[in-house]
Amino acid sequence: NRLERRTKPIKYTVHHCWYPRIGCTFSATTEPTVATVGPLMSLRNGQYELTWSSLISGSYSVAISLDGTPVLESPFTAAVVAGPASLGESLYVGAGLTETIAGAVTSYTILTHDIHGNRRADPVQEGFAAVVMLLLNGGASLETIQGDVVDNGDGSLTVTYDGTLTVVGTHPQHMSLGTTQTHSEFQITVTPAALDPATTIADGAGLAGSFAGTPASFEVMPKDRFGN
């Protein structure tokens, strides 16, 4: 059976041992041993129910035997798949997560994992968003820049800022998944782009002239094309 959530156990029902002899026993084991097997429960109708679960995704072998002899078609193969994505357990890969140049295209990848650390391999069903928060005018105003998110279909997401981060500084980045999960551990540092003569400013009294033999001075403030 396919688990929709990692915390949901797998249940199997087996027939009761009808053999009229003493010592008739039933046993079930799972491989690998990371699975937890619950007690065998009688359903009081000639059947028994066994519950098992695991926090580790993968393919499991469930071996069922009666008096040491495997029952029909045993061992069975069961898959435990990763549960819903957890922002706190996922991995974030790429230099674009923490640094970029003003106006540059920057991106990073999120390898989603569930709450137990299992890597997801399916499209992310929950809506994901990443937003950089910019404090402007000395903190008097706030601007938000949202990243473009692409679901790669294999449990990973790619976030891209296509030249939209132009304000130099270190800014917090807030992420959300669905309506319940938020993550704001990462900050992204934006450094100036290449110098641009069109925005570079020269200023000072020396630009207006001077007396013969008297030094004239002025200042040049190099800036990039965004005025940083």
Side-chain angles (χ1 to χ4, degrees), residues 67-214:
D67 285 344
T69 301
V71 302
L72 181 65
E73 299 183 354
S74 177
F76 302 89
T77 300
V80 175
V81 299
S86 168
L87 288 181
E89 296 296 331
S90 295
L91 297 180
Y92 301 81
V93 182
L97 175 66
T98 57
E99 58 185 24
T100 189
I101 297 173
V105 176
T106 185
S107 63
Y108 59 90
T109 300
I110 303 172
L111 305 177
T112 61
H113 289 64
D114 69 10
I115 194 172
H116 304 293
N118 297 299
R119 174 78 164 85
R120 290 175 48 87
D122 299 325
V124 180
Q125 300 298 325
E126 308 89 338
F128 176 85
V131 178
V132 172
M133 316 295 287
L134 305 177
L135 292 176
L136 306 177
N137 302 318
S141 59
L142 174 68
E143 181 180 352
T144 60
I145 305 295
Q146 187 158 346
D148 297 323
V149 181
V150 174
D151 190 329
N152 300 314
D154 59 357
S156 68
L157 302 164
T158 299
V159 179
T160 301
Y161 294 97
D162 192 0
T164 53
L165 297 177
T166 61
V167 179
V168 168
T170 298
H171 315 292
Q173 183 173 196
H174 295 273
M175 305 172 185
S176 62
L177 185 65
T179 58
T180 59
Q181 294 190 52
T182 58
H183 197 64
S184 58
E185 176 182 348
F186 302 106
Q187 292 186 322
I188 184 167
T189 298
V190 181
T191 55
L195 297 180
D196 187 349
T199 58
T200 295
I201 298 174
D203 185 39
L207 294 176
S210 180
F211 296 104
T214 302

